[in-house]
Amino acid sequence: MQMAVVNLHPGQTVYCEAGKFLFKTTNVTMETRLSSPSAGGNGNGNGGQQSGSGGMGGMLRQAMGTAMQVGQRMLAGESLAFQYFTAQGGEGTVGFAGVLPGEMRALELDGARAWFAEKDAFVAAESTVQFGIAFQGGRTGMSGGEGFVLEKFTGHGTVIIAGAGNFIDLNPADFGGRIEVDTGCVVAFEEGIQYGVQRVGGLNRQGIMNAVFGGEGLSLATLEGNGRVILQSLTIESLANALKKAQGGDKQGPTGGLFSTNAG
């Protein structure tokens, strides 16, 4: 289980998803907000309010921007709040971690390309990085098993993501321009990569064999183009199945646990 220890300069701010914070030094302030830095905002996490806008109009735009962000994150099944950390009176330190045993990665955004990440991958980012939601379409998202939204990061600065197991970096351009991946292994990819979902075979004998006995279901994620792709070696589903097996969950017979190891 990796963790990220972030050193902040005086006045520098970093934000994280609620539940990813570990520790901080006493000179770092913490504030919880419903909004994150968004495209068109001023980098202060004000939900997209333009600098220089004041009065009732500015307050209304800020409230509408915050409500839109909260609604998008509700659809994504994400935490509704962000936590902001700012160093005061000197350098400060903040620690973050993901929620699963695995690896972390710092992505450096230079404003040229956005990054897209699967739900729950986001850990923390500088306040100069804008957080958004990218809708993939109901059919693509639902058939991929990841919902129909991805997290989108734009702007300049560092974004920290986390995944399960080890990370694998690939570029589809090195493999003929296209790779096919278990839908649960996709962590993040650069803008310019085309993400889709394809059915593995049809509703025939081989398709049913893949779904029932192969453990792959009926769909694979497709990633096409030229850009970085980050995959994880462990899926949440496989981790859950391993824990269930260790607890004897798959050893119960049709008699309701007669052959389980903990039967009395």
Side-chain angles (χ1 to χ4, degrees):
M1 186 74 181
Q2 294 186 340
M3 60 182 294
V5 179
V6 180
N7 294 320
L8 299 177
H9 297 297
Q12 187 177 14
T13 299
V14 64
Y15 67 100
C16 75
E17 189 174 49
K20 305 295 178 66
F21 162 72
L22 292 180
F23 72 91
K24 68 179 184 68
T25 52
T26 56
N27 68 316
V28 174
T29 63
M30 179 173 64
E31 180 183 0
T32 300
R33 308 177 192 169
L34 292 179
S35 61
S36 69
S38 59
N42 58 16
N44 292 325
N46 60 0
Q49 180 182 349
Q50 296 293 330
S51 58
S53 61
M56 292 299 297
M59 293 176 61
L60 179 60
R61 284 190 294 271
Q62 180 178 359
M64 291 178 62
T66 300
M68 182 176 296
Q69 281 199 5
V70 172
Q72 288 178 339
R73 290 180 64 78
M74 287 181 64
L75 288 174
E78 299 281 30
S79 169
L80 299 183
F82 294 90
Q83 292 178 307
Y84 286 77
F85 302 88
T86 304
Q88 303 286 352
E91 294 187 351
T93 302
V94 187
F96 304 100
V99 296
L100 293 172
E103 192 170 343
M104 303 185 75
R105 180 71 56 83
L107 306 176
E108 300 297 335
L109 275 63
D110 60 4
R113 278 190 174 189
W115 271 89
F116 296 88
E118 61 90 17
K119 187 176 66 174
D120 297 328
F122 172 62
V123 176
E126 290 184 81
S127 60
T128 52
V129 173
Q130 289 86 50
F131 176 97
I133 296 292
F135 289 85
Q136 295 299 299
R139 179 175 298 180
T140 298
M142 293 304 181
S143 58
E146 297 296 330
F148 58 94
V149 293
L150 291 171
E151 297 171 336
K152 181 179 181 180
F153 304 96
T154 56
H156 296 75
T158 302
V159 179
I160 301 173
I161 60 173
N166 295 321
F167 281 167
I168 306 165
D169 290 80
L170 297 174
N171 187 337
D174 297 333
F175 303 91
R178 176 187 174 103
I179 56 176
E180 299 173 349
V181 183
D182 183 303
T183 55
C185 288
V186 178
V187 178
F189 53 88
E190 281 185 304
E191 186 177 25
I193 295 293
Q194 301 298 316
Y195 171 84
V197 176
Q198 72 170 20
R199 186 177 296 277
V200 182
L203 295 177
N204 51 28
R205 180 178 178 276
Q206 186 56 53
I208 295 174
M209 290 286 287
N210 288 337
V212 177
F213 297 105
E216 300 299 330
L218 293 175
S219 300
L220 287 177
T222 60
L223 298 161
E224 302 179 76
N226 184 8
R228 291 173 60 192
V229 174
I230 300 177
L231 308 178
Q232 60 187 3
S233 61
L234 178 65
T235 67
I236 296 178
E237 182 181 5
S238 61
L239 177 60
N241 289 337
L243 293 174
K244 180 180 177 181
K245 182 177 180 180
Q247 295 171 355
D250 64 342
K251 299 178 182 179
Q252 294 185 3
T255 56
L258 179 61
F259 301 105
S260 63
T261 56
N262 59 358

